[in-house]
Amino acid sequence: MATISYHRPGSIAEAARLAAADPDARVIAGGQSMLPAMKLGLLMPSAFIDLAGLAERVEGSRVSIGAMVTHAAVAESREIRATLPALSELAEGIGDAQVRNRGTIGGSVANSDPAADYPAAVLALNATIRTNQRAIAADAFFKGLFETELKPGELVTTIELPVPTRATYVKFPQPASRFALVGVFVAQTDGRVRVAVTGAAAHAFRLEALEEALARRFVQEACDAVTMAAQGLNGDLHGSAEYRASLIRVLARRAVQRLIG
């Protein structure tokens, strides 16, 4: 059995130095994606760089959330519930209690799992992902399957989310894992609309045709006028690409219905 080293850095700077020094090491936040990958033989790091001791913050002005804030903390935060309730509701629907108490928002965003919930919120809310090196716009962050704009040694420190006029997240969960078979996040700010989808492709993405349709007329019927092509979407034993394409339209309609009452 291979030996795996373990590091518990005392600062973001120390964690970044450790990560840059060993390309086979893996930064671990909550470990809710990394450990299952290791069990499946998909990953065998040389070392763990554990961020658990690096406390971050939750602020309610813009909604600035430290990378190590857990899903449970996002779900229960009074500040977030008051300013961005859609995000609290999203966090409440992640996994089970054990996952919510260990998993973190920064770990989820940095991992870019194709069925994770937070990436849809980050895109739809036009968030800024701050790292130990720079600020990255949400539209430039997610690149592919488990692939992001992050460079070696670069760590997510904070997620900054503008507060929308109104927003909601609707997902069709896979029953066993509660990952999104498809999830749709709709956000409206000063007449502008952003719609992001997760679970349907290699990574979360915006649906710009639907954004334009809803910007013209924010009604359920606008969703029906947009063609949801199955090409390029995921297909597996849980649902075909065509099924996911249909789900996107259904969930978008439900999200709009929820927002207009």
Side-chain angles (χ1 to χ4, degrees):
M1 180 178 292
T3 300
I4 302 176
S5 301
Y6 176 81
H7 306 285
R8 190 100 181 237
S11 68
I12 291 291
E14 182 184 356
R17 285 196 299 272
L18 289 167
D22 183 357
D24 293 324
R26 290 294 180 269
V27 174
I28 185 169
Q32 300 308 292
S33 296
M34 186 178 299
L35 297 182
M38 291 179 66
K39 288 180 180 179
L40 292 171
L42 301 175
L43 181 68
M44 183 52 66
S46 61
F48 287 130
I49 302 169
D50 190 351
L51 303 183
L54 305 181
E56 288 292 347
R57 65 193 186 280
V58 177
E59 297 175 356
S61 56
R62 176 178 168 82
V63 184
S64 178
I65 307 176
M68 291 303 293
V69 174
T70 65
H71 311 323
V74 174
E76 297 165 5
S77 166
R78 292 180 181 178
E79 294 91 345
I80 296 176
R81 283 191 175 275
T83 55
L84 190 45
L87 194 67
S88 291
E89 292 166 8
L90 178 153
E92 271 183 332
I94 295 175
D96 53 25
Q98 290 89 339
V99 169
R100 291 191 293 274
N101 281 316
R102 288 294 303 168
T104 65
I105 186 171
S108 176
V109 171
N111 192 46
S112 188
D113 189 296
D117 298 297
Y118 280 123
V122 165
L123 279 174
L125 293 167
N126 195 22
T128 299
I129 298 93
R130 294 196 176 276
T131 76
N132 58 313
Q133 298 178 15
R134 55 180 169 153
I136 307 172
D139 286 338
F141 188 78
F142 302 105
K143 296 295 187 181
L145 182 67
F146 299 111
E147 181 185 359
T148 70
E149 175 65 14
L150 293 173
K151 307 301 182 185
E154 187 173 15
L155 306 176
V156 175
T157 58
T158 309
I159 313 293
E160 292 185 354
L161 305 114
V163 177
T165 305
R166 52 183 176 177
T168 194
Y169 178 62
V170 180
K171 78 171 175 177
F172 189 93
Q174 199 280 337
S177 66
R178 297 189 72 185
F179 273 107
L181 197 63
V182 172
V184 177
F185 199 111
V186 178
Q188 187 176 34
T189 305
D190 298 329
R192 299 188 64 184
V193 181
R194 289 174 68 102
V195 179
V197 179
T198 189
H203 60 88
F205 62 94
R206 284 175 57 198
L207 199 54
E208 295 182 7
L210 185 53
E211 292 176 351
E212 293 169 4
L214 289 172
R216 290 192 296 268
R217 191 161 172 252
F218 199 83
V219 294
Q220 296 174 62
E221 290 74 18
C223 303
D224 300 330
V226 177
T227 301
M228 306 293 175
Q231 184 177 3
L233 298 186
N234 297 334
D236 53 31
L237 59 86
H238 302 297
S240 65
E242 291 76 16
Y243 181 65
R244 282 181 164 86
S246 178
L247 265 181
I248 292 173
R249 179 183 285 112
V250 170
L251 297 182
R253 281 183 60 94
R254 291 180 184 175
V256 173
Q257 181 182 24
R258 181 183 292 180
L259 290 174
I260 63 179

